Amino acid sequence: MKYLAFFLLFAWSSFIFPPEKQPNILFLIADDWSYPHASIYGDPVVQTPTFDFLASEGAVFQNAYCASPSCSPSRAAILTGRYPHQNESVGNLWSVFPGHLPNYVRTLGQNGYFTGKARKGWGPGDHEAGGYEHNPAGEHFDSFKAFLKARPKNQPFCYWFGSQDPHRKYTTNTGTLVGMNRDAVKVPGFFPDTECVRNDILDYYFEVERFDRECGHIIRQLEENGELDNTIIVMTSDNGMPFPRAKANLYDYGTRMPLAVYWKGEVKAGTTIEAFVNSIDLAPSFLEAAGIEVPKNMSGQPIWSLLRGEKEDTDRSKIFLERERHANARKGDLSYPMRAVRTHNYLYIRNFEPNRYPAGDPEVHQSVGQYGDVDNSITKFEILDREGKKGAVDYFQLAFGKRPAEELYNVKTDPFQLTNLAGEESLQDTLAHYQQLLNDFMIETNDLRATQPNTIYWDTVRYTPTYQRRNFDLQKGIDDYFMLSTSSGRRDTTWCE
């Protein structure tokens, strides 16, 4: 028995970090930031020196994905280490966060960590109805400085900084006004390449840079406090950019995230990771680093062996993605259920309700406008204006049209996922392979969609905000977008007539 106890102790210590080295944990999360919009990824316009520093002094991930391209389910998946379909009602946006689910922040707090958050934690939704006294990401502090001041001396901490950038609304022309080069913007192939769209992307870049700058201020405070060397820093996003066919979609611009991880002495500087990681892997990674046993009901897998270049049992050759109800954008409060599997070669998507509109109903339901799963923007309005117009690319159909039950994309030759190959006769064996991969995963993880594809569960769970129904006028939306915030109320058409 003594030998068995020694063996178990040795086996356990080989994959966790000893408690006397418990690191601080600093989690920096943007709101609607897509890969590859960071300078270290090769974007020619946006400048992200903080992210680049963490990536160059630690590890940068080329294939990091959020669990769901929607705020509430994505952030809940980060906290719980579980897939959204395993998280009950919080698989939806504007949901209730069940208190019985695992939560790495709460677990760290129960094991000697001082925890807190600033700005956007988990949400939007109702945490109190789930039994939480404060946001599941931690008790609120006005700033990192206030958080550090309140922390008991020598106590390890876990801090969540949730920026609202680059979530909309944007102030028009901010990117241009700070000198960004509109001509250098790489416009995704599912947007029309116009000056207006380029300008909209610049305004998004402006907020990405602001997020990066604020993260830099926090890290500087950490360094001034002498605690940089014993702090895990993770910088990432919750879901993709707030543009059509990006956020709330399972294509790469909705789910593929920037991710950098820094931990001096544990993560080798200049590490590049090509393997797939899911944001659900963060919760068990934080717990393992703190020397705390990872709950068995977490589905994510720690990333430290991967970062050390050690052999893993975890299969990181593919990633699974999903979404349920995003905005309340369909009559009857209906979801748009999707599941997907992504490898280095293909993206396979299953649309469970192809009779529904993926971007929300054309008529206004209870959201800010028609096709309410897409945030209002000049890019959205430009694409709406192209309905019925012929062209080399049908931007309207890509953004707002109904989709078939299955989609298959060759991501190597079609990086913007424009051409659905599911009907190609030569690829039927490939299609069948991905169908089976997804089926097996859904069954293994107890996805309700596996046994009840047409379940009404996520259609009927509570949607927490209350909206007043109102008509939405497209032209007024465009006019409002262009209004300057001045007393003159002049319309600014400098770049977007």
Side-chain angles (χ1 to χ4, degrees):
M1 291 298 294
K2 289 182 179 179
Y3 294 108
L4 176 61
F6 176 82
F7 172 78
L8 292 174
L9 177 63
F10 176 80
W12 177 246
S13 65
S14 68
F15 64 89
I16 65 170
F17 298 91
E20 62 268 21
K21 290 189 177 181
Q22 283 184 312
N24 302 316
I25 297 169
L26 174 60
F27 184 59
L28 309 167
I29 182 168
D31 195 355
D32 299 359
W33 178 29
S34 290
Y35 176 97
H37 300 142
S39 38
I40 199 167
Y41 288 133
D43 190 286
V45 179
V46 69
Q47 298 297 307
T48 53
T50 304
F51 184 82
D52 298 354
F53 163 77
L54 296 176
S56 60
E57 294 300 316
V60 64
F61 291 74
Q62 298 289 346
N63 288 287
Y65 285 76
C66 62
S68 179
S70 177
C71 293
S72 308
S74 172
R75 289 164 184 259
I78 290 170
L79 287 163
T80 64
R82 291 159 59 91
Y83 290 101
H85 67 261
Q86 298 175 318
N87 283 339
E88 302 173 20
S89 58
V90 81
N92 279 354
L93 186 73
W94 283 106
S95 49
V96 173
F97 195 120
H100 65 84
L101 296 176
N103 179 338
Y104 83 82
V105 173
R106 182 174 59 193
T107 300
L108 288 172
Q110 293 168 345
N111 285 271
Y113 271 72
F114 184 67
T115 66
K117 67 95 181 171
R119 301 196 200 165
K120 186 173 181 178
W122 170 78
D126 186 347
H127 57 269
E128 293 180 353
Y132 278 93
E133 294 183 7
H134 52 68
N135 192 283
E139 184 177 352
H140 174 76
F141 288 84
D142 289 336
S143 67
F144 187 52
K145 183 177 181 180
F147 172 79
L148 290 178
K149 185 177 181 180
R151 177 181 60 141
K153 187 177 181 181
N154 297 325
Q155 189 171 359
F157 71 75
C158 170
Y159 182 75
W160 171 302
F161 172 67
S163 173
Q164 281 86 9
D165 289 336
H167 198 288
R168 293 189 186 272
K169 295 181 174 178
Y170 300 153
T171 301
T172 312
N173 296 334
T174 48
T176 297
L177 291 172
V178 298
M180 290 183 181
N181 183 357
R182 191 169 69 256
D183 295 334
V185 171
K186 293 182 177 179
V187 179
F190 43 88
F191 299 157
D193 189 352
T194 67
E195 285 194 347
C196 281
V197 171
R198 286 174 174 267
N199 202 61
D200 199 16
I201 294 172
L202 289 188
D203 294 341
Y204 156 76
Y205 283 166
F206 173 86
E207 294 208 357
V208 170
E209 290 191 357
R210 185 165 61 190
F211 166 66
D212 186 87
R213 191 161 53 249
E214 288 194 286
C215 290
H217 293 326
I218 292 172
I219 293 171
R220 191 171 301 114
Q221 291 178 61
L222 191 66
E223 187 173 23
E224 290 172 353
N225 254 40
E227 302 199 60
L228 180 61
D229 290 354
N230 190 41
T231 301
I232 297 171
I233 305 175
V234 173
M235 188 171 175
T236 189
S237 177
D238 59 353
N239 52 251
M241 63 194 297
F243 285 73
R245 207 174 165 89
K247 178 180 176 180
N249 289 272
L250 299 188
Y251 309 117
D252 278 4
Y253 275 73
T255 57
R256 195 174 182 181
M257 301 290 98
L259 175 64
V261 176
Y262 170 94
W263 189 7
K264 188 172 182 179
E266 297 291 345
V267 177
K268 184 180 178 181
T271 299
T272 297
I273 301 296
E274 298 287 348
F276 286 99
V277 296
N278 193 308
S279 59
I280 68 170
D281 295 332
L282 294 174
S285 298
F286 293 149
L287 294 180
E288 184 175 275
I292 298 169
E293 184 175 3
V294 176
K296 293 182 180 179
N297 59 352
M298 284 188 173
S299 298
Q301 298 298 316
I303 60 174
W304 306 119
S305 294
L306 174 66
L307 287 168
R308 292 194 298 265
E310 298 172 354
K311 186 177 180 180
E312 292 187 297
D313 293 331
T314 304
D315 178 6
R316 298 193 185 273
S317 64
K318 53 187 174 295
I319 204 84
F320 295 96
L321 311 164
E322 63 188 89
R323 68 149 281 182
E324 283 292 342
R325 186 169 61 196
H326 182 61
N328 207 1
R330 294 167 194 83
K331 186 176 181 180
D333 305 338
L334 300 178
S335 172
Y336 190 80
M338 308 167 73
R339 301 291 186 269
V341 55
R342 168 72 153 84
T343 68
H344 290 292
N345 296 317
Y346 288 95
L347 169 66
Y348 168 71
I349 300 174
R350 186 174 300 167
N351 298 301
F352 288 88
E353 297 288 351
N355 58 310
R356 300 177 187 176
Y357 286 96
D361 288 346
E363 305 80 20
V364 179
H365 179 47
Q366 291 187 358
S367 67
V368 294
Q370 60 185 145
Y371 303 109
D373 268 354
V374 182
D375 296 280
N376 285 334
S377 67
I378 190 59
T379 301
K380 176 180 178 178
F381 297 142
E382 280 221 359
I383 295 175
L384 284 172
D385 193 48
R386 291 169 184 258
E387 183 177 9
K389 296 180 181 179
K390 294 182 179 180
V393 178
D394 191 342
Y395 298 107
F396 181 88
Q397 174 62 33
L398 289 172
F400 305 117
K402 290 182 178 180
R403 298 170 186 165
E406 294 183 297
E407 302 174 69
L408 181 69
Y409 300 94
N410 184 325
V411 295
K412 289 187 173 180
T413 61
D414 184 14
F416 299 121
Q417 292 101 58
L418 302 178
T419 304
N420 182 11
L421 303 174
E424 293 289 326
E425 186 175 349
S426 62
L427 290 175
Q428 291 311 294
D429 288 345
T430 299
L431 180 66
H433 171 68
Y434 281 84
Q435 289 170 335
Q436 192 63 51
L437 284 178
L438 186 59
N439 290 341
D440 291 346
F441 166 76
M442 292 173 64
I443 292 170
E444 180 185 340
T445 58
N446 299 312
D447 191 336
L448 192 59
R449 294 281 177 195
T451 54
Q452 301 179 42
N454 298 319
T455 180
I456 62 171
Y457 174 75
W458 286 285
D459 291 333
T460 57
V461 294
R462 180 185 166 204
Y463 189 76
T464 59
T466 300
Y467 288 108
Q468 291 184 346
R469 295 177 184 269
R470 60 185 177 87
N471 292 325
F472 182 82
D473 179 77
L474 176 59
Q475 188 58 49
K476 184 179 184 302
I478 296 174
D479 290 341
D480 288 346
Y481 181 86
F482 283 116
M483 291 299 288
L484 286 172
S485 56
T486 63
S487 58
S488 67
R490 259 188 328 106
R491 177 172 171 176
D492 177 16
T493 57
T494 307
W495 302 118
C496 295
E497 283 193 298

